[in-house]
């Protein structure tokens, strides 16, 4: 029988430990994970990049929902464990779920410290710790102007940079007389401050916040010295505290954190702690590198493997603010007994200080150029005795040459030098992986070794190791595979599916030698699409490969409920239909009914178990508001009622929508038809737009009204309705056959060029062939709601299961 392993805390440290256990002994445990946040495991570090606009929330998921399912992990998302029954070895969540354990890992992380001052509970006063905080900041920036960040440490400065990117005015309030005093000396800190001021940040140093003022919402902060700063948003970033509430309740020994020994054991048998909540030899860490080291030790211990035990870590940090290179490792201020080697270049704004004690490097601070940081940090970590050779070794022959784009620098690195600090990956490990597994991209190296999987700061260095190992040409020539499981790109995979007549994802992965035989969340949905596109008849839809919204045929909302959007062709409805929708909304107590931007009616806040019943009573087709498919065809009133209208845009829109509804496409497709060039239906920001002109129609492609707004390109002018239908079908099929999965038409047309598309549709023969192929697909499409209502097994999946996909919105 498998042993029961329970993890409390679905964060970076705990899940990394589970990943390691799955590698060492995949069959040893039945694993259950409780996570208070309603998301799959995500990269907290990259919240700074999300805020700064460099990544989206979707990009920071480390292990998606499928990972839990694929590894048979029972995952209770949105469940906070409130009690550990240590006598009976059970845990209980706030939602009443109980899980028995043989081994229990606590990885509850930290809580941001909120200054206990009057007004700290006002609206607009937040921390910066999780997705919710990040979303609040992004939302606030849309409405308000002025932010105050309290705390000039790593987190405060990264938050401030993000808020600047969101066009807010930002003042950083710091208690000390210089910034980042826990990582930098005063010289480096002053240089940093000058650079950040240049970027637009304002600093209020040596300020102690006394009160947050405002009525319901914050309007400003008051300082002890009588000063005042206006604020619409206050972000507190004044440090963190290990989250020990659960351990405390359960009688586990605590100090600042949960006290653990070198094998991460707490004072209670079979209970372990890793991550920021744990205190080892008096230290509770707040950076991932030591937490991952702890996780690796604990994984070995739980799998019964020999290991040395965790001895503590020397840490280093880099600030993740673009345009600023700052490194701090080990000791950063002089003390009696230390000697320093300092380099200061006021012309290029570079400062480096290396501290030495008894012939050993004990710390370093660098500003402006951190290219040598991994070598110096290696000296700090190993404590190598360099007595008598200090300058030679610290400055090194190659010291200068390591700056900038260092092919030479990487060449000079020894194999045991760490390239990725977060994950402790050495140059030697990366080189070996490149050579043995024939890796040709940074993404593949990440998938294989974990290098660059956390803060991402080492990506340029990893790329240099790759260049240096393979030669630049080989790397430039190397293409990115569709995901980390293969080096084959989209065109090669599709060509193989065609030529080798592959009809299932399993076959593709096996025949094309996927490195991960199960695939990953990136390739599985892509393969499902390509297979369906190439073999519409033979390929059986692989429902499990689809994202949760498409599996459930409804859009999951942030509170775990769903939205129901029935198809309303061309946006034209009737009193009878409206009455029916209203009755269903009332019967199921739908909290919100909303008209969408695409002229449809959205019933929001629906429980998963109510979906089939509502679909049945609506008796309308799915509006596909969730899928990679035709969403809506928006229409203006056109010549039917509008005095400017030259053509019947409504009938045209309805006809297009009826023709292409349910069509699977690489990414969502939106259409619109306007009855004259005034373009009230906004047809020129749609994937396919139709605008009536005198005696005909203009056809536009590749528009997008989303994050990256793009006006569409005018491609064809046609005379008749039949031609509009022919061109639209041929265009959609050509897009289906040639775009990458998840590539919107706006990206695709720019990648392949308009001429290529024009040529592909330039004869009637070519268009007819494409139309014949789209018809073959369209005739197989069934309405998914109807299918679920009529298939008892499918229906049961909705009605008998609790809606446990809570807030899978992060997918
Ligand atoms: C914006 C930001 C940027 C950062 N940048 C860096 C960086 O560049 N480099 C670096 O090394 N570190 C960085 N860090 C720190 C790093 O993210 C943390 O050290 C790391 O996430 C800690 O991992 P953990 O698993 O211990 O805790 P967490 O990631 O906080 O995970 C703990 C999880 O446990 C859950 N939980 C708590 N109690 C319970 C309970 N009773 N039941 C169920 N679930 C519970 C919490 O909700 C949380 O999801 C950054 C942190 C932030 C906020
Ligand atoms: N790049 C990175 O490595 C990175 C980025 C973000 C966060 N983190 C980690 O996240 C955790 C939290 O970061 P943090 O910056 O909040 O913690 P921190 O403890 O490093 O810094 C907090 C800062 O707030 C200041 N402060 C304390 N009280 C104050 C007050 N009343 N008014 C104004 N300033 C005050 C302190 O002087 C200190 O410099 C840390 O563990 C940090 O290492 C790391
Ligand atoms: S696009 Fe022209 S026809 Fe359509 S509503 Fe506007 S003005 Fe009238
Ligand atoms: S150094 Fe952070 S991911 Fe490599």
């Amino acid at each position: 029988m498998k042993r029961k392993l329970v993890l409390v805390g679905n964060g970076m440290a705990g899940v990394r430990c589970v990943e390691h256990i799955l590698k060492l002994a995949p069959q040893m445990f039945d694993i259950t994970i409780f996570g208070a946040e309603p998301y799959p495991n995500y990269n907290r570090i990259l919240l700074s990049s999300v805020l700064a606009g460099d990544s989206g929330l979707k990009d920071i998921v480390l292990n998606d929902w499928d990972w839990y399912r694929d590894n048979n992990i029972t995952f209770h998302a949105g469940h906070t464990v409130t009690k550990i029954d240590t006598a009976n070895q059970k845990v209980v969540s706030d939602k009443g779920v109980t899980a028995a354990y043989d081994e229990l890992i606590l990885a509850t992380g930290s809580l941001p410290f909120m200054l206990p001052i009057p007004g700290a509970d006002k609206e607009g006063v937040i921390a910066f710790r999780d997705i919710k905080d990040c979303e609040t900041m992004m939302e606030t920036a849309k409405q308000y102007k002025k932010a105050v960040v309290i705390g000039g440490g790593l987190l405060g400065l990264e938050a401030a940079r993000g808020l600047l990117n969101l066009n807010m005015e930002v003042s950083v309030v710091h208690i000390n007389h210089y910034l980042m005093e826990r990582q930098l000396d005063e010289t480096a800190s002053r240089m940093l401050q000058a650079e950040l001021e240049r970027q637009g940040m304002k600093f209020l140093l040596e300020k102690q916040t006394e009160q947050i003022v405002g009525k319901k919402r914050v309007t400003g902060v008051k300082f002890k010295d009588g000063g005042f700063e206006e604020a619409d948003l206050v972000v507190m970033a004044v440090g963190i505290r290990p989250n020990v509430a659960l351990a405390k309740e359960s009688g586990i020994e605590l100090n600042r954190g949960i006290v653990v020994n070198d094998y991460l054991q707490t004072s209670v048998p079979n209970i372990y702690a890793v991550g920021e909540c744990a205190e080892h030899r008096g230290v509770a860490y707040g950076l991932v590198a030591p937490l991952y080291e702890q996780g690796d030790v604990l994984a070995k211990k739980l799998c019964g493997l020999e290991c040395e035990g965790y001895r503590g870590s020397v840490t280093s940090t880099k600030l993740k603010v673009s345009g600023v290179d700052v490194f701090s490792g080990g000791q950063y201020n002089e003390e009696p007994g230390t000697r320093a080697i300092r380099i200061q270049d006021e012309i290029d704004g570079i400062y480096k200080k290396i501290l030495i004690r008894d012939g050993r490097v004990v710390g370093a601070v660098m500003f402006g150029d951190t290219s040598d940081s991994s070598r110096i940090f290696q000296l700090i970590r190993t404590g190598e005795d360099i007595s008598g050779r200090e300058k030679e070794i610290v400055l090194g022959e190659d010291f200068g040459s390591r700056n900038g784009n260092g092919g030479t620098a990487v060449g000079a690195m020894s194999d045991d030098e760490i390239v990725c600090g977060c994950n402790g990956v050495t140059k030697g490990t990366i080189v070996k992986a490149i050579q043995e597994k024939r890796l040709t991209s940074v993404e593949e190296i990440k998938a294989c070794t974990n290098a660059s999987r956390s803060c991402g700061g080492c990506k340029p260095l990893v790329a240099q190791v790759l260049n240096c190992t393979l030669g630049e040409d080989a790397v430039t020539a190397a293409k990115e595979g569709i995901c980390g499981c293969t080096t084959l790109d989209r065109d090669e995979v599709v060509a193989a599916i065609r030529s080798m007549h592959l009809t299932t994802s399993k076959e593709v992965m096996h025949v094309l030698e996927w490195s991960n035989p199960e695939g990953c969340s990136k390739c599985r949905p892509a393969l499902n699409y390509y297979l369906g596109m190439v073999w519409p008849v033979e390929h059986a839809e692989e429902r499990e490969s689809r994202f949760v919204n498409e599996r459930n045929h409804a859009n999951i909302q942030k509170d775990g409920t769903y939205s129901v959007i029935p198809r309303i062709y061309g946006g034209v409805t009737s009193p009878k239909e409206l009455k029916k929708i209203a009755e269903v909304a009332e019967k199921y107590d739908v909290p919100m009914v909303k008209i969408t931007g695409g002229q449809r009616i959205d019933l929001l806040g629906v429980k998963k178990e109510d979906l089939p019943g509502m679909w049945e009573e609506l008796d309308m087709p799915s509006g596909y508001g969730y899928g990679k498919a035709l969403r809506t065809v928006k229409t203006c009133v056109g010549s039917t009622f509008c005095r400017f209208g030259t053509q019947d845009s409504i009938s045209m829109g309805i006809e297009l929508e009826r023709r292409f509804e349910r069509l699977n496409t690489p990414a969502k497709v939106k259409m619109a038809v306007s009855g004259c060039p005034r373009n009230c239906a906004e047809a020129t920001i749609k994937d396919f737009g139709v605008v009536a002109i005198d005696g005909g129609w203009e056809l536009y492609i590749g528009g997008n009204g989303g994050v990256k707004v793009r006006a569409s390109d005018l491609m064809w002018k046609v005379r008749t309705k039949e031609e509009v239908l022919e061109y639209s079908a041929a265009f959609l099929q050509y897009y289906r056959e040639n775009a990458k999965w998840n590539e919107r038409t706006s990206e695709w047309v720019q990648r392949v060029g308009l001429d290529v598309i024009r040529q592909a549709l330039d004869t009637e023969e070519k268009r007819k062939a494409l139309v014949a192929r789209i018809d073959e697909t369209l005739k197989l499409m069934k309405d998914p709601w109807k299918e679920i209502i009529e298939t008892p097994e499918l229906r049961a999946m909705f009605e008998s299961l609790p809606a446990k996909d809570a807030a899978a919105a992060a997918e």
Side-chain angles (χ1 to χ4, degrees):
M1 253 246 309
K2 287 187 181 179
R3 292 177 68 71
K4 292 188 193 70
L5 174 70
V6 172
L7 168 66
V8 179
N10 183 46
M12 298 186 73
V15 173
R16 175 58 73 89
C17 177
V18 168
E19 282 180 7
H20 211 58
I21 290 171
L22 288 169
K23 271 197 194 127
L24 296 175
Q27 299 306 327
M28 194 159 173
F29 294 104
D30 259 336
I31 302 173
T32 301
I33 299 181
F34 288 87
E37 294 181 73
Y39 311 106
N41 171 237
Y42 69 91
N43 188 342
R44 196 173 300 285
I45 297 180
L46 291 188
L47 287 177
S48 304
S49 316
V50 172
L51 192 67
D54 299 332
S55 322
L57 281 173
K58 269 201 322 212
D59 307 325
I60 67 169
V61 171
L62 287 168
N63 291 296
D64 62 13
W65 300 98
D66 288 346
W67 176 81
Y68 298 86
R69 196 191 54 199
D70 294 349
N71 289 293
N72 294 319
I73 294 170
T74 307
F75 176 33
H76 299 291
H79 283 240
T80 303
V81 171
T82 48
K83 188 176 166 19
I84 308 173
D85 176 349
T86 50
N88 297 304
Q89 304 216 144
K90 276 183 191 151
V91 299
V92 185
S93 86
D94 58 345
K95 294 187 177 143
V97 171
T98 301
Y101 65 85
D102 296 310
E103 317 282 1
L104 173 66
I105 305 174
L106 300 179
T108 48
S110 291
L111 295 175
F113 181 62
M114 300 302 277
L115 293 174
I117 49 175
D121 54 352
K122 287 198 189 306
E123 203 179 289
V125 181
I126 58 168
F128 182 21
R129 180 73 192 176
D130 54 29
I131 287 184
K132 207 165 108 274
D133 298 327
C134 204
E135 284 176 335
T136 306
M137 284 191 251
M138 295 195 286
E139 278 304 308
T140 308
K142 288 183 193 159
Q143 281 187 56
Y144 296 98
K145 261 287 23 87
K146 180 70 208 285
V148 165
V149 175
I150 305 182
L154 289 157
L155 186 64
L157 296 179
E158 290 182 13
R161 178 63 256 181
L163 291 165
L164 275 186
N165 286 14
L166 292 170
N167 291 324
M168 291 195 88
E169 285 167 34
V170 186
S171 297
V172 177
V173 175
H174 194 52
I175 200 161
N176 203 282
H177 65 287
Y178 66 87
L179 300 169
M180 274 179 63
E181 81 286 354
R182 293 176 187 171
Q183 291 86 13
L184 300 181
D185 66 5
E186 191 164 349
T187 311
S189 174
R190 295 281 171 219
M191 293 173 87
L192 171 67
Q193 183 181 338
E195 171 55 31
L196 294 175
E197 277 169 344
R198 203 189 55 71
Q199 294 191 7
M201 260 177 235
K202 184 175 151 195
F203 292 100
L204 301 165
L205 301 179
E206 290 183 85
K207 292 277 180 197
Q208 224 169 321
T209 312
E210 192 179 53
Q211 194 186 348
I212 312 263
V213 291
K215 284 193 178 143
K216 197 163 159 239
R217 188 182 176 88
V218 56
T219 52
V221 286
K222 252 171 131 178
F223 306 114
K224 276 222 167 104
D225 62 6
F228 177 81
E229 187 74 2
E230 275 183 26
D232 305 312
L233 170 75
V234 170
V235 180
M236 289 210 196
V238 291
I240 50 176
R241 302 282 180 274
N243 181 359
V244 295
L246 177 65
K248 193 172 176 186
E249 286 277 300
S250 318
I252 296 170
E253 188 192 340
L254 301 178
N255 189 20
R256 193 166 172 265
I258 304 170
V259 176
V260 292
N261 65 14
D262 287 2
Y263 291 95
L264 291 311
Q265 288 163 309
T266 69
S267 60
V268 175
N270 303 326
I271 303 186
Y272 308 80
V274 280
E276 285 186 347
C277 64
E279 178 178 320
H280 172 261
R281 299 189 185 179
V283 185
Y285 294 92
L287 294 163
V288 288
L291 313 184
Y292 286 167
E293 286 178 43
Q294 294 175 355
D296 286 359
V297 170
L298 178 54
K300 286 190 187 127
K301 162 91 187 138
L302 289 172
C303 294
L305 301 175
E306 282 276 307
C307 77
E308 258 202 357
Y310 176 64
R311 305 262 183 259
S313 310
V314 187
T315 57
S316 70
T317 49
K318 280 186 178 175
L319 183 68
K320 305 192 295 298
V321 168
S322 65
V324 187
D325 284 326
V326 188
F327 168 85
S328 165
Q331 201 175 312
Y332 49 93
N333 272 326
E334 288 84 343
E335 281 175 4
T338 55
R339 289 177 303 150
I341 298 177
R342 283 190 202 83
I343 299 167
Q344 191 159 6
D345 169 351
E346 292 184 349
I347 295 169
D348 286 340
I350 292 173
Y351 169 72
K352 299 183 185 194
K353 179 178 81 178
I354 285 98
L355 288 174
I356 296 169
R357 180 199 294 274
D358 301 331
R360 292 178 165 83
V361 180
V362 291
V365 173
M366 298 182 185
F367 181 87
D369 170 19
T370 55
S371 55
D372 212 39
S373 56
S374 63
R375 192 174 65 91
I376 298 297
F377 188 52
Q378 179 75 355
L379 292 172
I380 302 174
R381 279 183 353 113
T382 55
E384 186 185 331
D385 189 349
I386 54 168
S387 305
R389 301 175 296 142
E390 290 95 335
K391 272 172 82 174
E392 179 194 330
I393 296 218
V394 165
L395 300 179
E397 263 176 41
D398 57 317
F399 194 67
S401 69
R402 283 185 165 236
N403 301 349
N405 91 25
T408 2
V410 164
M413 281 175 84
S414 64
D415 271 357
D416 57 357
E417 253 182 64
I418 301 260
V419 169
C420 174
C422 291
N423 295 286
V425 188
T426 61
K427 177 188 166 189
T429 307
I430 296 177
V431 170
K432 195 161 166 240
I434 294 170
Q435 289 168 340
E436 286 181 359
K437 304 203 167 135
R438 291 186 286 152
L439 309 182
T440 55
S441 70
V442 174
E443 275 305 302
E444 286 173 325
I445 295 173
K446 176 161 124 186
C448 241
T449 65
N450 276 333
S452 81
R453 192 171 169 221
S454 305
C455 74
C458 57
K459 257 188 194 161
L461 198 55
V462 175
Q464 284 170 29
V465 176
L466 183 65
N467 279 340
C468 195
T469 312
L470 291 185
E472 231 163 287
D473 290 347
V475 176
T476 324
K479 64 217 168 325
E480 294 271 307
I482 61 169
C483 66
C485 306
T486 177
T487 53
L488 299 174
D489 65 18
R490 180 257 177 226
D491 291 346
E492 288 166 326
V493 172
V494 172
I497 290 175
R498 278 188 206 287
S499 63
M500 298 159 97
H501 207 112
L502 308 174
T503 56
T504 67
S505 295
K506 277 260 162 282
E507 267 181 350
V508 175
M509 291 170 190
H510 178 68
V511 173
L512 303 181
E513 295 181 343
W514 246 232
S515 64
N516 174 3
E518 299 299 318
C520 67
S521 59
K522 218 168 155 187
C523 60
R524 275 196 307 255
L527 289 181
N528 184 44
Y529 171 74
Y530 296 139
L531 288 160
M533 181 269 291
V534 177
W535 306 118
V537 181
E538 286 160 86
H539 169 67
E541 164 73 8
E542 294 166 11
R543 188 173 177 271
E544 293 303 292
S545 297
R546 293 214 177 240
F547 286 153
V548 65
N549 287 343
E550 292 189 279
R551 284 203 299 270
N552 292 334
H553 291 282
N555 233 332
I556 193 158
Q557 306 297 312
K558 68 189 221 186
D559 61 354
T561 62
Y562 289 80
S563 86
V564 170
I565 306 181
R567 174 84 59 203
I568 297 181
Y569 299 94
V572 178
T573 179
S574 64
K576 197 171 157 211
E577 197 168 65
L578 286 173
K579 267 192 209 151
K580 185 169 59 175
I581 295 173
E583 275 160 17
V584 171
E586 265 184 4
K587 175 171 171 190
Y588 286 90
D589 219 2
V590 170
M592 182 181 278
V593 181
K594 178 163 185 331
I595 307 293
T596 70
Q599 303 177 330
R600 302 303 128 103
I601 295 177
D602 194 350
L603 308 178
L604 287 148
V606 177
K607 293 195 249 4
K608 186 174 176 183
E609 57 270 31
D610 286 344
L611 289 170
M614 283 182 65
W615 295 337
E616 194 163 29
E617 287 173 49
L618 282 169
D619 191 25
M620 292 167 76
S622 163
Y624 275 82
Y626 45 81
K628 296 192 193 303
L630 173 69
R631 293 279 175 97
T632 57
V633 182
K634 192 170 173 176
T635 63
C636 76
V637 288
S639 61
T640 325
F641 285 102
C642 177
R643 65 200 159 95
F644 300 111
T646 56
Q647 308 272 359
D648 183 356
S649 48
I650 292 186
S651 303
M652 175 61 84
I654 292 176
E655 194 143 348
L656 285 168
E657 190 157 350
R658 286 200 185 276
R659 173 119 173 78
F660 301 121
E661 65 174 320
R662 304 183 193 128
L663 180 70
N664 276 323
T665 39
K668 63 182 167 192
V669 167
K670 297 182 179 182
M671 290 189 177
V673 186
S674 287
C676 85
R678 286 174 183 76
N679 194 14
C680 296
E682 296 159 346
T684 46
I685 50 163
K686 302 294 175 200
D687 297 275
F688 190 83
V690 181
V691 178
I693 47 174
D694 267 340
W697 303 90
E698 287 178 343
L699 307 181
Y700 292 80
I701 64 166
N704 191 342
V707 180
K708 286 189 202 146
V709 179
R710 180 175 193 275
S712 53
D713 296 287
L714 173 60
M715 287 293 276
W716 303 283
K717 282 188 188 177
V718 297
R719 292 194 167 278
T720 64
K721 184 182 85 180
E722 287 67 35
E723 283 174 299
V724 174
L725 290 170
E726 180 180 294
Y727 274 87
S728 53
F731 167 73
L732 283 176
Q733 182 63 9
Y734 190 66
Y735 165 56
R736 295 184 74 236
E737 290 179 3
N738 290 283
K740 295 180 192 167
W741 178 79
N742 212 11
E743 188 176 33
R744 289 293 300 267
T745 60
S746 52
E747 299 158 319
W748 172 66
V749 297
Q750 292 180 80
R751 181 168 66 82
V752 300
L754 296 175
D755 286 345
V756 171
I757 300 168
R758 214 174 258 122
Q759 263 178 29
L761 270 69
D762 64 358
T763 65
E764 196 179 342
E765 193 189 347
K766 288 184 194 168
R767 291 194 296 275
K768 291 252 182 290
L770 286 161
V771 175
R773 294 204 289 277
I774 206 170
D775 281 342
E776 193 187 359
T777 298
L778 283 167
K779 72 172 184 249
L780 297 164
M781 299 318 234
K782 295 192 199 107
D783 184 70
W785 291 357
K786 201 157 176 239
E787 212 178 349
I788 293 167
I789 297 165
E790 289 172 355
T791 318
E793 308 86 75
L794 288 177
R795 188 167 184 147
M797 287 169 68
F798 287 79
E799 293 178 336
S800 59
L801 285 181
K804 71 169 191 175
D805 289 313
E811 261 187 24

